[in-house]
Amino acid sequence: MPSQSENTNTNEKQWNETEIRDLILYAKHLQQENEDLQAKMIMMNAKLNNEESKVRQLNNIIKQIYAKGNNPYNSN
């Protein structure tokens, strides 16, 4: 009966040069996709921060309007 290490050795795949090259190219492709997605996330985060800033500014304007007693919904 073959030992466990002999079984492992017979089941191991031998990679040829083309397969190794293709695997490296695929890994580089995935790395580029990862970098692209990270750049998109940074851009989207910047846009989100910009929109949140606009909301804060509008909220401050609304608070100022109500603080001055210029409530458009108050018919006094």
Side-chain angles (χ1 to χ4, degrees), residues 23-50:
L23 187 59
I24 291 170
L25 290 174
Y26 180 65
K28 287 181 180 182
H29 170 74
L30 290 179
Q31 184 178 18
Q32 184 62 51
E33 280 188 358
N34 187 354
E35 290 172 5
D36 292 346
L37 289 173
Q38 286 179 351
K40 286 180 182 179
M41 287 176 54
I42 290 169
M43 182 182 66
M44 289 177 71
N45 192 44
K47 287 181 178 183
L48 175 63
N49 289 338
N50 188 35

Side-chain angles (χ1 to χ4, degrees), residues 49-62:
N49 289 338
N50 188 35
E51 293 302 317
E52 288 175 339
S53 176
K54 289 178 187 178
V55 169
R56 282 191 299 277
Q57 288 174 341
L58 291 173
N59 280 334
N60 286 336
I61 290 170
I62 291 169

